[in-house]
Amino acid sequence: MGLFSKIKEGLKKTRDSVAGKVNMVLNSFTKIDEELFEDLEEALVMADVGLPTAERICEQLRAKVKEQGVTDPQEVRGLIKEIITEMMEGGEDLRISTSPSVILVIGVNGVGKTTTIGKLAARLKDDGKKVILAAADTFRAAAIDQLQIWADRAGVDMVRHAEGSDPAAVVFDALTAAKARHADVVICDTAGRLHNKKNLMDELGKISRVIQRELPDSDQEVLLVLDATTGQNAVNQAREFKNTAGITGIVLTKLDGTAKGGVVIAIREDLKVPVKMIGVGEQIDDLQPFDAKAFADALFNEEEEEK
């Protein structure tokens, strides 16, 4: 199954929600007027796009309709797709050109963080990169054991210490191993705690200092894993983490299991943080690089769905 097909299949519930609500509005109007824009804005809010983003989409839509002299409500669908594509584009590629590069993965417990790391490791290995995992979520023994299962499944090395060890020490050993073994990428798991922001900040700060000291010239990504099924709560989580952890990108998981995938637009537009990867299924190859155009196409491709 190709990239577009996977995304299209994974976004079915979200497409039914977003495109379904938009189509309902467009099909109930014979002309484009202010009432149409207001109904569209409401439909987008109801589809988990969020009020600020829905307002911006409709603001840009008004400008495009006026500029292009569009009069048929059915043509608005294509304009919305264009606007969403433009909003979502930029910064999607992982910055991992140095050897080794470092990817720090953060997020609260239960969002699919460990699974995401395993799938990402498998994807990078398939791309010909040598990967080492650092089990720096030492807060829970289960997290270390679960990551080991994924490391074995993906066929990559893992550095681990005992439960309760210093996470920064685990990262130090993983970086040392990466240099000795000529690895391309080190992916670091971290503790999934948000309730105590000071502890989280201190821990991430210590890990970052180790990385800066050991690999000062390496490419680094700080990826926040979010669960799409939580809708607007995911936006709030992203805002909290952005303020405390300096995230460089978002990984949105469980898109295939929710109608709330419109939240990806809100996260990108409201927080100005690029979406790097999306999870559209349970299989090891179901973590896909984010593609703004493919996402927008899959979101509004309801005609093909009906054939």
Side-chain angles (χ1 to χ4, degrees):
M1 189 183 291
L3 171 64
F4 177 75
S5 299
K6 269 189 181 292
I7 293 174
K8 181 166 175 266
E9 187 177 287
L11 283 176
K12 185 181 186 314
K13 290 181 180 178
T14 293
R15 178 166 59 253
D16 290 347
S17 173
V18 179
K21 288 177 173 63
V22 167
N23 286 338
M24 201 177 296
V25 172
L26 296 180
N27 292 338
S28 63
F29 282 83
T30 55
K31 64 176 183 176
I32 298 175
D33 56 18
E34 189 54 31
E35 191 182 346
L36 172 92
F37 291 122
E38 288 173 4
D39 284 6
L40 271 177
E41 188 177 299
E42 186 181 338
L44 290 168
V45 171
M46 296 298 290
D48 280 277
V49 170
L51 181 58
T53 304
E55 286 176 343
R56 279 194 284 274
I57 289 172
C58 289
E59 188 182 314
Q60 291 182 37
L61 188 60
R62 285 183 183 92
K64 279 183 181 283
V65 164
K66 187 175 181 182
E67 182 187 305
Q68 298 179 23
V70 174
T71 57
D72 183 356
Q74 294 304 316
E75 289 182 44
V76 167
R77 186 183 297 102
L79 297 180
I80 294 173
K81 193 165 81 166
E82 278 177 32
I83 291 165
I84 289 174
T85 301
E86 289 163 8
M87 279 184 166
M88 301 297 292
E89 278 177 334
E92 300 98 319
D93 294 336
L94 286 174
R95 291 180 292 109
I96 48 171
S97 58
T98 62
S99 287
S101 297
V102 183
I103 300 174
L104 201 60
V105 183
I106 62 179
V108 301
N109 293 329
V111 295
K113 183 163 55 78
T114 310
T115 303
T116 293
I117 292 169
K119 290 179 178 180
L120 179 56
R123 170 171 280 281
L124 293 174
K125 190 189 175 195
D126 286 348
D127 288 343
K129 293 189 181 295
K130 185 171 185 178
V131 180
I132 292 179
L133 303 186
D137 181 357
T138 58
F139 193 64
R140 298 179 304 134
I144 300 171
D145 293 340
Q146 189 186 3
L147 194 64
Q148 185 69 65
I149 291 167
W150 275 105
D152 294 342
R153 195 178 295 175
V156 302
D157 292 344
M158 184 174 110
V159 173
R160 61 184 289 170
H161 288 189
E163 180 187 1
S165 301
D166 180 1
V170 180
V171 172
F172 173 82
D173 283 356
L175 299 183
T176 302
K179 288 185 277 190
R181 300 173 201 172
H182 304 290
D184 298 301
V185 184
V186 180
I187 307 176
C188 307
D189 191 12
T190 62
R193 303 194 299 279
L194 186 60
H195 61 272
N196 189 329
K197 286 190 278 186
K198 185 179 186 310
N199 281 1
L200 175 75
M201 239 183 354
D202 289 348
E203 192 173 286
L204 292 175
K206 192 174 177 185
I207 289 171
S208 295
R209 286 192 295 276
V210 168
I211 295 168
Q212 287 294 343
R213 188 183 70 225
E214 297 302 313
L215 293 171
D217 300 318
S218 68
D219 283 340
Q220 293 174 35
E221 290 274 10
V222 181
L223 301 183
L224 173 63
V225 181
L226 296 171
D227 179 345
T229 64
T230 62
Q232 288 299 307
N233 190 44
V235 182
N236 297 331
Q237 274 183 36
R239 189 172 288 111
E240 291 283 338
F241 272 104
K242 186 186 179 187
N243 291 337
T244 57
I247 55 179
T248 60
I250 301 288
V251 180
L252 201 64
T253 64
K254 309 179 190 179
L255 263 176
D256 56 308
T258 183
K260 297 180 177 180
V263 73
V264 69
I265 307 165
I267 290 167
R268 179 68 177 93
E269 179 62 13
D270 286 5
L271 302 179
K272 308 300 181 191
V273 177
V275 178
K276 303 268 185 178
M277 314 283 291
I278 54 175
V280 290
E282 296 298 319
Q283 301 304 311
I284 199 164
D285 62 345
D286 284 336
L287 184 71
Q288 297 288 336
F290 183 74
D291 181 308
K293 187 175 185 306
F295 176 82
D297 284 346
L299 203 56
F300 286 95
N301 200 25
E302 69 288 330
E303 291 91 347
E304 192 174 323
E305 188 72 35
E306 289 166 5
K307 286 179 184 175

